[in-house]
Amino acid sequence: MLHDPLRALMRGCRRAPKQPAPKQPAPEQPAPEQPAPERAAPAAPPPAPTFAELLPDARIQSALHALQVRAPTAIQAAVIPHFHTNDVLAVAPTGSGKTLCYVLPLLTHHLQLAQRQQPPRCHSVILAPTHELVNQIARVLERVLKLTHTRAHVRALNSKQALAAWNSAPNAVNFVIATPQRLVAAAQLLKSSSSTPDFIVLDEADELLSDKFLPQVDDALHVCGVVNKANNHKHGSQRMHMFSATMAPAVAHLARCLMNDMKRVTVGASAYGGSFAVDEAVKHIEQRFVFVGGRAEQGKVMAVRNLLRNGVQAPVLLFVQSKERAAQLFRELLYDGVHVDAIHSDRTVAARETAVQRFREGNTWVLIATDVLSRGLDFLAVRTVINYDVPSSAAAYVHRIGRCGRNGRHGVALSLFTEEDLKLIGAVVRVARASGALVPEWLLRAGGRVRADEVRRLERRPPKRAAVGGPNMASVGGGRRKRRRVQPQSQQQPRGGARGGTEARAHD
Ligand SMILES: Nc1ncnc2c1ncn2[C@@H]1O[C@H](COP(=O)(O)OP(=O)(O)OP(=O)(O)O)[C@@H](O)[C@H]1O
């Protein structure tokens, strides 16, 4: 259901009617004696701007040097020049550096305010859909701030505890990074820290503007003073920027309604009428589809066991459809002695943070996750993504596989499927094909075409699946089976020296 103020905004935001194409005058015939005009050589594309041109501040230059970030990526080169003058809707592949697209200009703004010796206030709000992404953005921002030797107050509002900590010490902040729900809960604190922020950034914007988050985002934008609930008018003085690797046309339309002087920037040839920036994204990702037979659950567990024993390179991110299935699969793999952990919305924020941290450090080889982890997280070392359950939308597929093959590294994305998945896999294999993957013809033919309303229904309510494992599996055996050790292949020793020494822990 669309929240009222945003619905009202959308009503007021009609597409401009299509103008009939102006009539072209009939081309003049060249006189017979005249030679045909020579075709002008196509103009060479302008050279890509450098960071020194985009962000001339010497402190930022030296921070980028320390980070070994030498040249802007295509999306950075396209977005940064417009950051202060337009609202930007940026769609670019996973792993293409969208975070620095906004972190660096926001830092420039902070440096300029500091130079003018303005009293400290909250000038920038960044919204992201998950705790983990809020943490990651805060980490990137704090790292760059440190490297520029700049004083700034950053608040990452990703949990009740973080909110309580701000409440107990309500100091001024400059940057707030939050999930929409936490930002709304911090409304009073934010008000005392700023009249209205100058910049609002929506990372993973299409997720934030989906039905799941829209009411919260609506309230959060109201808190930021973007949308005035009394008259549903947008304030003109702020800049709002939105980023994602996927952007369905309907969401782009809603985004447009919320923005002023909008500039849309898309990097990478897009598929599905501009909904996905995929081709560039997955150039480094080998996409494979593995049929695991008709007996769905047993076949899948066995396939995962075989893959972990014989072929895949750790660290592995393994995506499942629901938190229940994450817990079930966790138990199965735990009994195999795999260094496994699971992360999903039923776990506490602290447990989720520990799971992410241990995975980053190489102590966990296989991290089982629901889609809470599919967006935005930058695990540079991840070699393999396994879709244990076929995602319920092509957008989810793009984000999931984008967790590997980042920043030019090689990655492998394996999707397991059964006969039951053929309906779901149609959209996925078509996106895979559009992004250059070799998809067998029979699979393209077998994968069903699903109507748009059915796709939306599946996104809201994914198909029912039998429990992970099935008969004779550990989950049924109640833990009486002996634990076995499975060593996933890895060219790279997990960092932290924990190979073989760290026990996976049961959380569920
Ligand atoms: N100009 C650059 N040169 C080299 N590396 C870069 C550059 N910009 C960003 N990176 C690195 O690329 C990686 C991916 O960046 P980032 O997480 O911002 O991608 P993203 O586009 O937000 O991806 P996603 O859509 O999955 O969220 C990060 O490790 C980041 O440090």
Side-chain angles (χ1 to χ4, degrees):
M1 195 190 73
L2 199 54
H3 224 219
D4 280 347
L6 291 185
R7 189 201 302 270
L9 270 177
M10 280 190 76
R11 268 201 303 270
C13 170
R14 298 243 157 75
R15 282 175 207 272
K18 271 194 176 170
Q19 299 292 330
K23 276 192 179 171
Q24 298 288 332
E28 280 180 23
Q29 296 295 322
E33 64 271 16
Q34 281 177 347
E38 275 185 31
R39 195 181 282 180
T50 61
F51 270 128
E53 287 161 346
L54 292 172
L55 302 153
D57 190 293
R59 288 163 291 184
I60 295 185
Q61 290 304 308
S62 83
L64 290 172
H65 188 74
L67 288 169
Q68 303 196 337
V69 168
R70 310 243 180 270
T73 62
I75 189 68
Q76 290 161 358
V79 167
I80 292 172
H82 299 286
F83 200 87
H84 289 83
T85 52
N86 297 79
D87 289 357
V88 180
L89 176 63
V91 183
T94 51
S96 62
K98 293 187 287 295
T99 314
L100 287 184
C101 279
Y102 57 83
V103 163
L104 296 175
L106 292 180
L107 178 58
T108 308
H109 184 61
H110 180 75
L111 292 170
Q112 285 165 353
L113 292 180
Q115 206 162 11
R116 283 185 237 144
Q117 298 190 326
Q118 295 212 344
R121 64 187 179 83
C122 176
H123 51 70
S124 304
V125 169
I126 302 165
L127 292 177
T130 61
H131 311 281
E132 288 74 18
L133 192 49
V134 166
N135 274 354
Q136 179 177 288
I137 296 165
R139 256 205 358 242
V140 173
L141 177 60
E142 276 165 351
R143 189 147 178 236
V144 182
L145 281 166
K146 196 170 169 197
L147 288 169
T148 51
H149 307 288
T150 307
R151 273 175 63 84
H153 299 283
V154 178
R155 276 279 168 196
L157 294 180
N158 55 2
S159 61
K160 281 186 188 146
Q161 291 84 337
L163 191 60
W166 194 13
N167 243 323
S168 60
N171 57 344
V173 297
N174 306 117
F175 298 89
V176 172
I177 306 155
T179 56
Q181 196 186 4
R182 297 287 165 233
L183 190 83
V184 174
Q188 281 311 318
L189 288 161
L190 195 69
K191 262 190 198 135
S192 61
S193 206
S194 135
S195 48
T196 51
D198 305 331
F199 290 94
I200 295 111
V201 172
L202 271 60
D203 200 344
E204 305 299 339
D206 57 331
E207 176 77 346
L208 288 174
L209 297 179
S210 71
D211 288 356
K212 190 170 151 199
F213 283 99
L214 201 56
Q216 298 168 22
V217 170
D218 183 17
D219 290 342
L221 294 183
H222 172 59
V223 165
C224 293
V226 176
V227 182
N228 183 337
K229 272 199 169 161
N231 57 14
N232 290 325
H233 281 326
K234 289 175 281 184
H235 287 264
S237 59
Q238 299 164 302
R239 285 278 153 242
M240 179 149 63
H241 302 298
M242 302 198 190
F243 294 86
S244 188
T246 52
M247 188 62 63
V251 183
H253 181 58
L254 175 55
R256 204 171 288 129
C257 297
L258 288 168
M259 298 168 116
N260 294 320
D261 311 321
M262 190 196 88
K263 178 136 189 83
R264 180 171 173 149
V265 179
T266 304
V267 165
S270 50
Y272 277 58
S275 296
F276 307 110
V278 284
D279 61 344
E280 288 288 319
V282 292
K283 221 163 42 190
H284 309 284
I285 305 173
E286 199 182 318
Q287 300 174 69
R288 286 193 241 141
F289 296 89
V290 183
F291 182 63
V292 291
R295 296 185 66 197
E297 293 309 325
Q298 286 190 40
K300 278 186 183 176
V301 175
M302 285 190 289
V304 166
R305 287 202 168 107
N306 283 338
L307 287 167
L308 293 180
R309 269 196 213 110
N310 307 321
V312 299
Q313 295 191 330
V316 178
L317 254 177
L318 216 159
F319 284 105
V320 290
Q321 185 177 289
S322 64
K323 54 195 177 192
E324 294 79 17
R325 292 174 68 72
Q328 289 161 3
L329 186 58
F330 171 72
R331 284 195 289 273
E332 290 294 337
L333 297 184
L334 189 64
Y335 281 98
D336 289 347
V338 177
H339 292 185
V340 63
D341 209 340
I343 190 163
H344 49 76
S345 60
D346 262 4
R347 298 196 60 189
T348 63
V349 171
R352 280 164 66 161
E353 277 176 13
T354 310
V356 168
Q357 186 60 23
R358 287 176 60 79
F359 189 58
R360 281 195 198 281
E361 288 168 355
N363 295 324
T364 302
W365 304 342
V366 179
L367 185 58
I368 302 168
T370 55
D371 277 317
V372 293
L373 224 65
S374 68
R375 279 178 177 259
L377 288 194
D378 188 39
F379 297 116
L380 278 181
V382 169
R383 310 285 189 90
T384 312
V385 166
I386 299 178
N387 286 316
Y388 186 86
D389 295 324
V390 175
S392 53
S393 73
Y397 175 77
V398 169
H399 287 281
R400 282 183 182 186
I401 68 166
R403 294 320 98 206
C404 69
R406 293 178 76 76
N407 201 11
R409 288 166 170 79
H410 180 254
V412 177
L414 295 156
S415 300
L416 310 183
F417 69 100
T418 66
E419 276 168 24
E420 288 172 355
D421 290 315
L422 287 177
K423 197 172 180 187
L424 280 178
I425 212 164
V428 167
V429 290
R430 282 192 291 279
V431 167
R433 162 69 82 85
S435 65
L438 288 173
V439 180
E441 274 304 323
W442 68 265
L443 185 52
L444 280 166
R445 276 198 304 274
R449 268 194 189 277
V450 184
R451 288 203 336 257
D453 55 342
E454 175 76 354
V455 170
R456 279 194 293 277
R457 197 187 61 75
L458 282 168
E459 278 175 18
R460 276 197 302 274
R461 196 170 301 169
K464 280 209 170 76
R465 294 178 185 275
V468 168
N472 305 324
M473 296 286 167
S475 52
V476 174
R480 271 171 277 126
R481 279 185 342 167
K482 237 184 158 188
R483 197 181 275 195
R484 284 174 288 137
R485 287 240 163 263
V486 176
Q487 307 254 331
Q489 272 193 0
S490 175
Q491 289 170 350
Q492 172 198 323
Q493 290 278 329
R495 283 159 284 144
R499 179 173 264 265
T502 319
E503 286 301 305
R505 295 150 304 125
H507 297 286
D508 298 289

